[in-house]
Each structure stands twice: as structure tokens, then as C-alpha cells.
Amino acid sequence: MKVRYYSFFASLNRPAVALLLAGLAASCNQAGKTETTTTATTPAATASNKADWWKETVVYQLYPRSFQDSNGDGVGDLKGITSRLDYLKSLGVGTVWLNPIYASPNDDNGYDISDYRAIMPEFGTMQDFDALLQGMHGRGLKLVMDLVVNHSSDEHAWFKSARASRTSPYRDFYYWWPAEKGTPPARYSTFDVKHDAWQYDAPTKSYYLHYFSKKQPDLNWNNPKLRQEVYKIMRFWLDKGIDGFRMDAFQFVAKDPSFPPIPNVTESNFANSYNHGPRLHDYLQEMNREVLSHYNVMTVAEGAGRNVTEAMLFVDPARKELNMTYHFEGVGVGNNADTYQLTDLKRVFTKWDSAFAQKGWQAIDLGNHDQPRMVSKFGDDRPAFRAPSAKLLNTFLLTMRGTPYCYNGDELGMTNSKFNGIADYRDVAARNAYTLLKQQKGDEKAFFHTLARFSRDNSRTPFQWDDSAQAGFTTGTPWLNVNPNYVTLNRAAEEKDSSSVLHHFRRAIAVRKQHKVLVYGQYQLLDAANPNIYAYTRTLNGEQVLVVLNFSSAPRTWALPAGLTPTGQPWLNNYPTAPTGPALALQPWQAVVYRLR
Ligand code: BGC
Ligand code: CA
């Protein structure tokens, strides 16, 4: 029997190994093949280059559990974040997206919420939150919160009431299948040990639906009362002054309550099967009308749409839904570790750029809390190449069209970590997958090999502040082990070294802020077939820049296309000297941004 490791839409049975969000990425890839890639022609003012603060900002994704512990319990907290606000400000980022900080039993690190209006006690109090928000706003930083409403925790008061009786006023806040109707139609769950999305619940002799773990029952968006409750929660936080929401797993909220059979739902296609259910866009338009349109905030949907056409439906300004979306196809490319090709990455990013060239807007990212570290996946984390490749990846993020999302620690070039067996992992996806593996007597060696590369815990290790014990993250025992490389790879060391990844990150942000061409300029891919060099121009109002990225650990030469002549000093360069034409001699992972005109 084949044994599978699921780390959120992931599978081991594919030769390409398990990956986070792989199912979704793979299905996007398939959809992508039939889509045409057109080259954008940008007229003077398209809806895409209409100025908005959320297009010009750089988003810093902050994982609160791992950022800074203030009281020695080994868990990062709000006071810890507040104590580091000057650092965040010093980066030049404009917006901080916080992963969930609401009350939660933490089956899935806060993505299982038991009270949407309360702060998780481990993270602090509402006073701590208010102080954090004030501290951010005082420094000109905006705050975006995660909104997790595809599901709640099974410990939420709604669910406790709903499961107690079939006549509970909250019964219809969730999906139930009465046992007298027989076994419910198969649905796949990504975190469930058996991947069964229906959990039998004895008190009311019924099954409830959970696309994620059994402690994450799905909320019933067909019920207008539930929707109104969600809108009230949104207003509660918006009235406190927060600046937007990142909408978790929102593409899954719409479901047909009759549960028609979905044949052969597996780990690799479940996202596609669940995506875009009936009335999804009615819900978003209602949410916009009732809540979002009353505030000047940003909204970003996770993984919206199975392809660019569907993704556009979320963010076409005329439809009045959300501001931007981030796709999984880019991170998905690198998850095919054995077959990863730079040309695939170029194709994917170029396709998505073209799709949003005239209207709509997208996020640009290469990593997050569900992915391994970007430098370990798309760069080269060996000592000789870690710093240049991390700088190259940050250059990429900050010179593409779209709002850049930088995951905390990537500004230092933090890498995948080292885990010695299942006890070192904390992620529900990894642990439940291991339980299944044991039950099925699967291949442990292959399992751990995959987990080491792709586990979500790789990017969740504590932030590396300095070389003191536990990297300065905590005075206690961290909830997840610190990456042993903190001794040399840490913020304090990088602060002192003007050629560090950190300083390069700051420079790149400063350049983006200074030059609107990097925000709004038309993107044009060059030399699409080159397997090592990713080169493109950005053009706006007569100004043009050229970005040349050597995505490889070897020196490469790249001939400047006729007619493209750099002028003056490069805006950005991750080596002390910049190559000059007509053939650019690039160092391993060299990244240079030239002004052309
Ligand atoms: C989040 C994951 C989470 C899942 C369930 C995802 O979109 O990013 O971290 O496990 O939703 O809430
Ligand atoms: Ca703490």
C-alpha cells in the first residue's frame, strides 16, 4: 500500500514529492496549460495602475508564535511583537499581516478559532492588542489580520451548542448529515488522519463536515445568520482600526448543502473540486456591500480561483469584492523538487502578470507559514550561496508587479531547519500523517525525507534575533526548536554587516518605494527559454528598468538584448561590482537592477 504524507494538500505518492499546497498548485498548473499567455500592453491608465496604498505597500507576514517571546513561556506573543516594532519599521515595510491571534485550542496553530473577538491567552490580552495596533499606527505601519471563517474550532460556543442538539439555534451554522440517511457522500479532508471530512458525532447521531482537521468544523455560509455573525466580527476589528483582512481558505466556503457525489476526490484534486462552490461570489459581494465598502482597507484572498480567469472574479474592481489574491502556482513550481525548472517559474509568474495587466491586482510571494523556506526551495541554502540567493529572491519579490509579501525571517535569509524525528515536529499535518503512516506500516525513511524538505514547521521556527541562547527568541524553552544555524545566521550579525541579506532587503524596499515604475510598470519577460537567467523589464511613463537574475549556483553570461543599454549605476546589485554589457558576466545568484531610460 502506498503511504502518503499530507502536509496540507500534499502527497508523497507523486514522484515529485510531497509539498504544501501541491494539489492546488498542480491543478492550477493543469489549468494553466490551456490558458493563453498574452503580453501586456499597458495603456496610459489601466485599472491596474490606478494608485492605491495597498498596491504600493510591502506586506510583512509575521508568525506571532515564533517572532518574540516576552515572558519566557517559549511562545511568541503580542508584547514581544510590540517590543520589535522599531525593527519592523526599520525594514521599510508598510503593512504587517499577523497570522491568527484569536482564542484557539491550537489544533492548527490558531487556524481553529474558539472566540473571534478574544485574544489567545498565550499571546496576551486585548489591551496588549490595542497597544500593538497603536504602536504600529504611531509608526505609520498598517495591520492586516487573518480572517478564518471557512471553519471554526470545535470548541467555539456555536459548535458546542450545535453539536448538543439537533434543535440548537446554532445547528445550521455547520453542516450535518444525520446518520439515519446512511453514510454521507465521500468528502476528502486534508488534515484528518483518515482523510475523511465527515466526523460522526454521537450526541446527535450525525456527521459533521470538516475539510481540515476534525477540530475545524466547516461553517455553513448558506445560512444568512452565520454570514451576519461573520460581518459583525469583521466590523468589530475594523472599528478598532485594523487595516484589512487576509481571507483564509475562502475559496472553499461555498458548498452545495445537498452534497452531491464528487467522484474520486483525492489529495491532488480536492482543492479543485472544492473551489468555487455555488454562490461564492454572492457572498463576497454581500460582504463588500455590508462591510468592506465602508472602510478604506485591503483584502487578500488566499489561493482564489483554479486559474487566472477565476482569480480575476475576486479582484475585478467592477465586481466589488476583494482587492487582491495570491495564487499557489508559483510556490507550487518549487515544490516539484525533482523536476523544478526556472522556465516553469517564469512561465507561471508571467502568465499571472499578464492576466492582471489591465485590471485586478495580485500578491507576489515565494513563501509563507505553509511552505518551507524560500531560500531552501528556490535558492541554494549551502553556506557559499545562501546569502546571494536569498538576496536574489528578495530582489525578485520587490521588483515584480503586484504587492510583495515577505515572510518573516526571509529578510535575513533564514533556511529550512533540522528535525530529529516526529517528536520535533509540531504541525498537525505532519503528526496526523505520521499516525497514518504507522497504521499503514509505511516507508518511514521516505516519509521523513519528504517531511524534512517540505514540512510547514521549516518556516515556523523561532525568529533568529542574535547568537544568545534560543536566538534571543525566548528565555525559556521554545515551542518549536530554534534552527541550529542561528549562531551565525541572526539579525544582530546581519545588522553589523552592510553586505548582509538584511541590508540588501532594506535597500530593495527603499528602491521600490522611490520608483513607482517598480510598482505599476508594465512587466515584459525577456529570453523566456533561458534555463538559468530570469530577466525582465518594467516600464512606466517613459521610464524603464531591467532586472537580471542569475538563478543558479554557477557564473553565467547573459547577452544584453539589442537596444537595451543600462545607464548610470545599478539601482540594486547583490555583489560589489556590477557586470557591464554587451555580455553580462554574472556571479552565482547575482541579481542586478539597471535603469535603462
Ligand atoms: C492556512 C493554513 C491552515 C489552513 C486551515 C490555510 O489556508 O494558511 O495554515 O492550516 O488554511 O485553516
Ligand atoms: Ca510568551
Side-chain angles (χ1 to χ4, degrees):
M1 172 179 297
K2 261 186 194 135
V3 174
R4 292 163 180 198
Y5 155 63
Y6 298 83
S7 110
F8 192 40
F9 312 166
S11 74
L12 183 71
N13 65 328
R14 257 173 284 166
V17 289
L19 54 137
L20 222 47
L21 310 178
L24 201 47
S27 26
C28 283
N29 277 332
Q30 277 154 24
K33 286 196 180 114
T34 57
E35 290 170 58
T36 46
T37 305
T38 51
T39 301
T41 47
T42 311
T46 62
S48 279
N49 66 20
K50 181 183 156 290
D52 278 301
W53 71 263
W54 41 266
K55 294 177 181 167
E56 296 179 20
T57 196
V58 173
V59 178
Y60 185 80
Q61 185 193 343
L62 192 153
Y63 201 68
R65 209 171 182 77
S66 301
F67 197 63
Q68 177 68 67
D69 177 21
S70 72
N71 62 351
D73 67 355
V75 175
D77 47 51
L78 300 186
K79 280 196 171 131
I81 301 171
T82 301
S83 73
R84 295 296 190 178
L85 287 179
D86 288 336
Y87 170 72
L88 297 181
K89 181 69 188 166
S90 80
L91 297 175
V93 298
T95 303
V96 175
W97 152 28
L98 283 187
N99 287 98
I101 55 168
Y102 314 97
S104 162
N106 276 311
D107 188 51
D108 184 20
N109 283 10
Y111 282 93
D112 47 321
I113 295 168
S114 51
D115 183 347
Y116 289 92
R117 289 182 181 78
I119 301 294
M120 188 189 303
E122 278 180 308
F123 287 175
T125 63
M126 196 56 89
Q127 282 74 18
D128 296 338
F129 174 81
D130 292 338
L132 173 63
L133 183 60
Q134 210 185 9
M136 285 192 183
H137 283 171
R139 287 168 180 80
L141 294 169
K142 298 197 185 267
L143 173 63
V144 165
M145 305 261 286
D146 231 298
L147 183 69
V148 188
V149 288
N150 172 69
H151 44 269
S152 73
S153 163
D154 67 338
E155 297 183 33
H156 193 290
W158 297 336
F159 191 74
K160 286 189 190 163
S161 166
R163 82 186 328 175
S165 138
R166 289 193 181 188
T167 57
S168 155
Y170 293 103
R171 184 75 173 175
D172 290 339
F173 273 38
Y174 298 89
Y175 292 104
W176 298 95
W177 187 272
E180 64 270 17
K181 280 172 71 181
T183 313
R187 288 293 183 273
Y188 178 87
S189 158
T190 177
F191 294 162
D192 186 70
V193 173
K194 294 200 169 74
H195 300 298
D196 180 356
W198 290 106
Q199 173 68 29
Y200 182 69
D201 209 41
T204 59
K205 297 193 174 51
S206 307
Y207 299 82
Y208 65 84
L209 183 76
H210 62 94
Y211 279 2
F212 295 93
S213 93
K214 67 178 181 198
K215 287 185 66 62
Q216 296 169 293
D218 281 44
L219 289 163
N220 178 4
W221 276 71
N222 290 292
N223 181 350
K225 287 198 190 126
L226 176 270
R227 301 204 299 275
Q228 288 304 324
E229 286 299 326
V230 171
Y231 303 156
K232 281 191 220 155
I233 291 164
M234 293 173 76
R235 287 186 206 107
F236 172 84
W237 291 101
L238 292 168
D239 290 340
K240 274 186 169 289
I242 70 159
D243 304 286
F245 290 109
R246 175 262 189 189
M247 323 271 296
D248 183 70
F250 204 83
Q251 73 274 39
F252 299 149
V253 304
K255 287 146 192 142
D256 177 346
S258 71
F259 293 103
I262 301 182
N264 309 319
V265 190
T266 65
E267 75 284 2
S268 62
N269 67 12
F270 95 96
N272 255 357
S273 312
Y274 291 176
N275 236 306
H276 251 90
R279 299 179 61 203
L280 177 62
H281 292 284
D282 295 344
Y283 302 152
L284 283 170
Q285 284 167 13
E286 180 183 83
M287 178 191 284
N288 187 296
R289 237 178 5 254
E290 299 218 6
V291 186
L292 297 170
S293 59
H294 303 281
Y295 302 86
N296 177 21
V297 293
M298 66 165 257
T299 45
V300 54
E302 181 201 21
R306 286 169 286 206
N307 50 50
V308 293
T309 313
E310 280 183 0
M312 179 58 83
L313 299 176
F314 289 77
V315 295
D316 178 346
R319 295 171 56 83
K320 297 195 168 46
E321 298 187 14
L322 304 176
N323 295 149
M324 64 180 122
T325 163
Y326 64 85
H327 61 84
F328 295 134
E329 216 179 331
V331 290
V333 167
N335 290 340
N336 287 328
D338 303 330
T339 54
Y340 164 58
Q341 306 277 340
L342 179 64
T343 44
D344 292 335
L345 194 74
K346 295 197 264 188
R347 180 181 50 76
V348 166
F349 275 95
T350 303
K351 178 184 77 182
W352 282 83
D353 181 86
S354 299
F356 289 83
Q358 302 301 320
K359 60 181 180 182
W361 193 253
Q362 56 167 342
I364 300 287
D365 73 295
L366 287 174
N368 58 46
H369 66 294
D370 291 329
Q371 299 289 331
R373 282 286 173 187
M374 73 173 183
V375 71
S376 301
K377 188 157 86 174
F378 293 105
D380 184 337
D381 63 9
R382 291 176 294 172
F385 304 110
R386 184 195 64 84
S389 64
K391 289 177 201 172
L392 175 142
L393 296 172
N394 283 324
T395 305
F396 171 72
L397 291 173
L398 290 160
T399 57
M400 288 291 284
R401 203 173 62 94
T403 301
Y405 281 61
C406 303
Y407 181 67
N408 59 192
D410 285 349
E411 77 274 25
L412 306 177
M414 278 176 63
T415 67
N416 279 358
S417 196
K418 185 160 172 26
F419 302 89
N420 302 305
I422 196 69
D424 278 359
Y425 289 96
R426 294 287 174 274
D427 182 10
V428 60
R431 291 177 156 255
N432 284 355
Y434 186 67
T435 304
L436 180 65
L437 179 98
K438 292 297 266 185
Q439 284 169 7
Q440 298 182 338
K441 301 198 183 357
D443 179 348
E444 294 217 11
K445 201 166 159 234
F447 175 84
F448 282 112
H449 178 71
T450 300
L451 204 58
R453 291 163 89 179
F454 294 105
S455 168
R456 307 197 290 184
D457 283 331
N458 277 306
S459 58
R460 296 176 179 185
T461 60
F463 194 93
Q464 294 165 207
W465 291 104
D466 55 42
D467 63 3
S468 67
Q470 311 299 355
F473 164 69
T474 180
T475 53
T477 307
W479 72 277
L480 175 67
N481 288 341
V482 171
N483 188 324
N485 66 13
Y486 79 91
V487 183
T488 51
L489 198 179
N490 60 66
R491 181 249 172 150
E494 297 204 18
E495 215 48 90
K496 281 187 230 132
D497 171 5
S498 65
S499 70
S500 64
V501 181
L502 175 61
H503 281 285
H504 181 269
F505 181 77
R506 288 191 178 120
R507 279 193 288 274
I509 291 197
V511 166
R512 184 177 180 95
K513 282 210 281 209
Q514 214 184 331
H515 300 286
K516 292 279 179 291
V517 61
L518 292 175
V519 178
Y520 297 109
Q522 179 192 347
Y523 159 97
Q524 173 75 57
L525 177 67
L526 305 171
D527 197 4
N530 192 309
N532 301 302
I533 307 292
Y534 193 163
Y536 45 94
T537 54
R538 304 289 312 278
T539 310
L540 183 74
N541 300 333
E543 189 168 41
Q544 186 170 50
V545 298
L546 167 67
V547 180
V548 187
L549 310 170
N550 175 9
F551 262 84
S552 77
S553 302
R556 308 271 171 198
T557 302
W558 189 67
L560 276 171
L564 298 189
T565 315
T567 63
Q569 289 300 307
W571 282 357
L572 277 173
N573 176 15
N574 61 351
Y575 276 83
T577 53
T580 50
L584 303 178
L586 296 152
Q587 300 292 320
W589 298 101
Q590 187 158 19
V592 195
V593 180
Y594 299 96
R595 179 173 180 171
L596 296 176
R597 55 182 158 88

